[in-house]
Amino acid sequence: DGGITQSPKYLFRKEGQNVTLSCEQNLNHDAMYWYRQDPGQGLRLIYYSQIVNDFQKGDIAEGYSVSREKKESFPLTVTSAQKNPTAFYLCASSIGTVPTEAFFGQGTRLTVV
Amino acid sequence: GQQLNQSPQSMFIQEGEDVSMNCTSSSIFNTWLWYKQDPGEGPVLLIALYKAGELTSNGRLTAQFGITRKDSFLNISASIPSDVGIYFCAGPSELNAGKSTFGDGTTLTVKP
């Protein structure tokens, strides 16, 4: 079955440590996105990539980094520079460069203690 | 960045009631998307709208693309307990067609 997979579902890290969240899709989609969701708020765009080896900052990119070495994979690193990293992180993909009809993963809940 | 204003922020209704929620923007949108998010899960697309004035249904859900292209509406008829969740509007605006902006969501609670 085609889909988009995020792992792990829950992640705990100590303050000051970098952590990488995985996102893999087998939908053959060109574009991939990372969003952050805080309680009671909508989704805020962190980074997005429309083609392999290229990505752009979203609205809240500070303290995060990404790579897009393969079409299927778009990992997100939450660095120690991110001041408030505890959140629910969602990865998505869409078939073209215009982000219609995005398909989302199940999310990773990151808790930094 | 672009802002989408969703209202109401939350709704508490009785099973069987109809629900209406809307989304407005100061910018023109080319596409309106409505998603539903179950607790602890990723959002799932419910309805996509591509033309001003378009009215589209998906089962008990009906959504409309506003004529001004600055708003959209989602209606749910005869609500059931599994309608519980957060409903988001989203879309790429004319000002930034390369990415979608999301509203803050409408949280729906359905009492049996």
Side-chain angles (χ1 to χ4, degrees):
Chain A
D1 287 338
I4 181 164
T5 302
Q6 289 185 244
S7 62
K9 179 73 173 172
Y10 299 95
L11 192 54
F12 295 86
R13 278 294 182 270
K14 290 185 179 179
E15 193 172 341
Q17 290 182 334
N18 291 355
V19 59
T20 298
L21 282 59
S22 169
C23 179
E24 303 278 333
Q25 54 99 358
N26 60 4
L27 300 167
N28 200 31
H29 285 174
D30 292 311
M32 297 186 74
Y33 313 85
W34 274 105
Y35 293 90
R36 170 182 172 138
Q37 186 177 28
D38 293 289
Q41 296 190 30
L43 280 63
R44 292 185 290 168
L45 184 63
I46 303 172
Y47 269 97
Y48 63 107
S49 168
Q50 295 178 330
I51 56 172
V52 175
N53 292 321
D54 189 43
F55 49 83
Q56 286 78 40
K57 291 182 179 180
D59 300 317
I60 55 165
E62 185 175 351
Y64 300 98
S65 65
V66 294
S67 63
R68 186 86 187 276
E69 297 176 1
K70 298 186 299 182
K71 188 176 186 178
E72 303 80 20
S73 179
F74 192 40
L76 173 74
T77 298
V78 184
T79 74
S80 57
Q82 168 51 233
K83 295 176 182 173
N84 186 19
T86 294
F88 190 50
Y89 290 88
L90 286 159
C91 180
S93 68
S94 63
I95 195 167
T97 54
V98 176
T100 58
E101 302 186 38
F103 292 80
F104 283 83
Q106 290 195 313
T108 293
R109 186 166 298 281
L110 173 64
T111 302
V112 176
V113 297
Chain B
Q2 305 302 307
Q3 281 202 323
L4 288 178
N5 299 308
Q6 274 191 259
S7 64
Q9 188 174 18
S10 61
M11 303 181 74
F12 296 82
I13 63 169
Q14 206 71 37
E15 183 177 359
E17 290 183 359
D18 296 343
V19 172
S20 290
M21 57 190 79
N22 68 70
C23 194
T24 61
S25 171
S26 57
S27 306
I28 288 175
F29 274 65
N30 300 318
T31 300
W32 285 98
L33 308 166
W34 285 94
Y35 291 87
K36 182 196 176 195
Q37 184 180 30
D38 290 329
E41 302 291 332
V44 174
L45 183 70
L46 298 174
I47 292 178
L49 302 160
Y50 299 104
K51 287 171 55 177
E54 180 180 356
L55 184 72
T56 297
S57 294
N58 179 6
R60 293 178 295 105
L61 278 62
T62 302
Q64 184 161 24
F65 193 141
I67 290 291
T68 65
R69 296 170 64 193
K70 293 184 177 181
D71 58 8
S72 181
F73 305 87
L74 177 69
N75 296 318
I76 305 173
S77 63
S79 59
I80 59 178
S82 62
D83 289 335
V84 165
I86 306 175
Y87 291 80
F88 291 103
C89 61
S93 73
E94 272 198 342
L95 295 179
N96 197 334
K99 58 180 184 177
S100 272
T101 299
F102 279 76
D104 284 345
T106 293
T107 300
L108 179 63
T109 302
V110 180
K111 303 174 190 174

